Amino acid sequence: MKDSYFANTELIGLVGHPIKHSYSPFIQNYALDVLNLDYVYLPFDVPVENLKIAVNAVLALGMKGLNVTLPHKEKIIKHLDELSEEASIIGAVNTIVNDHGKLMGYNTDAFGIIETLNPFKDKITGSKVSVIGAGGSARAVIYTLLRHFKPDEINIINRTQQRADTLVNDFSVKMRYDCFHTYELFPPDNVETLSSSKLIVNATTIGMFPDVEDTVTDLDESFNEEQIVFDLIYNPTKTKLLKLAESQGAKVVGGLKMLTSQAAKSFELWTGIEMPSSEIAEKLEYYIKKNS
Ligand code: NAP
């Protein structure tokens, strides 16, 4: 454990608005402490009109980098020098590295999704999958599915179908994939689409604390024992959707593994050192339960 901070301490920041519910400061500072690294990670509540100034501060203050969260993940791109392949296709950045004055943008959510779904790779490849949601994290899910898991068919189900259609147009061009179908989120109409999918991913905010009784569907015929159901939400660690899917025999996975894996990848990009992810995940689960 560090006793104090000295002249050489490196600064890493998190920018978002609002920011106070983020678990990233807990994860990153815990890992830095465990490994006794001379860095500190601080959250900064930055409204959109101050985003450019905040990015300039990274260079002016010689900061190591930033995490970027809602609502800045897309808007920050125009202030960066270079993007990784996944950040460029997804169209969103959650990690910035100050590489000797050059600002590099990455999207480590994709890595978190790979780590979460890898145990099910054989089942996903060549099969039909459904993604509920069409926001920033749904884009990261779709990029990762196409790049690493190669499903045969992807259904995108969203409250605003037009947003799903825009996403499809975008990915059809960028990743040359044409087996998409889009649907409006209306549970009675979605049963057949969901029940015939090997993988169902919830990439919406529905069911997130404190609205833990909400769910994208409560129709149990949408689920069966052949399926994997992945909910990106990490608070609660098991959503109402996952409980329902599990009761029908599906294999279920929450968002905690993705959260710690994306954080670990960002940590590695800044420090060059591997984060002790399993230890952090255990502490984080306890911390989330205590603070909910
Ligand atoms: P986002 O870009 O704001 O997208 C939100 C999505 O939720 C959209 O598809 C939106 O539909 C839908 N939605 C919101 N409220 C709804 C409602 N009342 N009824 C129906 N649909 C609704 O957010 P995001 O960044 O993609 O995040 C989505 C979720 O992923 C959040 O719960 C977040 O915590 C989680 N997440 C987890 C991790 C992790 O590491 N585990 C990482 C990133 C995100 P419309 O298009 O119709 O508005």
Side-chain angles (χ1 to χ4, degrees), residues 70 73-74 109 112 132-139 157-161 163-164 185 202-206 208 214 216 230-234 254-260 262:
L70 293 173
K73 287 182 173 188
E74 287 134 40
D109 282 344
I132 309 171
S137 58
R139 295 178 74 91
I157 304 170
N158 198 43
R159 174 178 60 180
T160 315
Q161 195 176 341
R163 197 174 180 195
L185 178 60
N202 176 36
T204 74
T205 48
I206 304 172
M208 205 164 86
D214 291 351
V216 286
F230 170 29
D231 197 329
L232 268 65
I233 291 172
Y234 45 81
L256 211 57
K257 171 85 179 160
M258 174 179 166
L259 180 67
T260 49
Q262 61 80 26

Side-chain angles (χ1 to χ4, degrees), residues 74-286:
E74 287 134 40
K75 291 188 186 78
I76 207 149
I77 288 179
K78 61 175 178 283
H79 305 301
L80 305 179
D81 295 309
E82 222 173 282
L83 295 185
S84 62
E85 193 239 27
E86 83 287 339
S88 157
I89 295 179
I90 294 166
V93 159
N94 76 339
T95 304
I96 298 172
V97 175
N98 178 0
D99 184 8
H100 304 95
K102 195 166 152 191
L103 296 180
M104 307 286 300
Y106 299 87
N107 190 311
T108 67
D109 282 344
F111 179 75
I113 296 161
I114 297 174
E115 289 291 289
T116 305
L117 293 181
N118 249 346
F120 313 107
K121 189 167 184 177
D122 289 351
K123 266 197 155 186
I124 299 169
T125 302
S127 67
K128 178 165 153 184
V129 308
S130 287
V131 178
I132 309 171
S137 58
R139 295 178 74 91
V141 168
I142 287 157
Y143 165 83
T144 311
L145 286 172
L146 292 177
R147 181 61 82 231
H148 297 273
F149 295 93
K150 312 222 180 302
D152 253 9
E153 194 180 324
I154 301 182
N155 301 310
I156 302 171
I157 304 170
N158 198 43
R159 174 178 60 180
T160 315
Q161 195 176 341
Q162 198 197 339
R163 197 174 180 195
D165 291 336
T166 305
L167 186 156
V168 163
N169 290 337
D170 214 11
F171 275 82
S172 302
V173 174
K174 286 181 173 173
M175 298 191 79
R176 298 202 183 107
Y177 182 85
D178 56 10
C179 290
F180 284 115
H181 305 279
T182 63
Y183 301 91
E184 189 183 340
L185 178 60
F186 182 62
D189 287 355
N190 303 142
V191 168
E192 158 62 20
T193 308
L194 293 176
S195 63
S196 58
S197 297
K198 272 274 160 28
L199 169 72
I200 298 172
V201 182
N202 176 36
T204 74
T205 48
I206 304 172
M208 205 164 86
F209 180 83
D211 302 314
V212 298
E213 287 308 315
D214 291 351
T215 170
V216 286
T217 178
D218 56 7
L219 300 174
D220 54 18
E221 58 270 38
S222 306
F223 307 104
N224 58 64
E225 63 277 358
E226 297 300 317
Q227 294 174 323
I228 302 135
V229 181
F230 170 29
D231 197 329
L232 268 65
I233 291 172
Y234 45 81
N235 187 12
T237 49
K238 196 180 274 183
T239 56
K240 185 169 177 182
L241 171 76
L242 294 188
K243 287 179 188 161
L244 180 65
E246 195 171 44
S247 74
Q248 300 308 304
K251 171 89 187 136
V252 301
V253 202
L256 211 57
K257 171 85 179 160
M258 174 179 166
L259 180 67
T260 49
S261 301
Q262 61 80 26
K265 188 68 178 176
S266 302
F267 185 91
E268 206 178 313
L269 286 168
W270 297 314
T271 66
I273 293 168
E274 204 177 314
M275 181 190 268
S277 305
S278 340
E279 181 182 341
I280 309 283
E282 234 173 74
K283 297 286 173 204
L284 180 64
E285 191 166 357
Y286 173 74

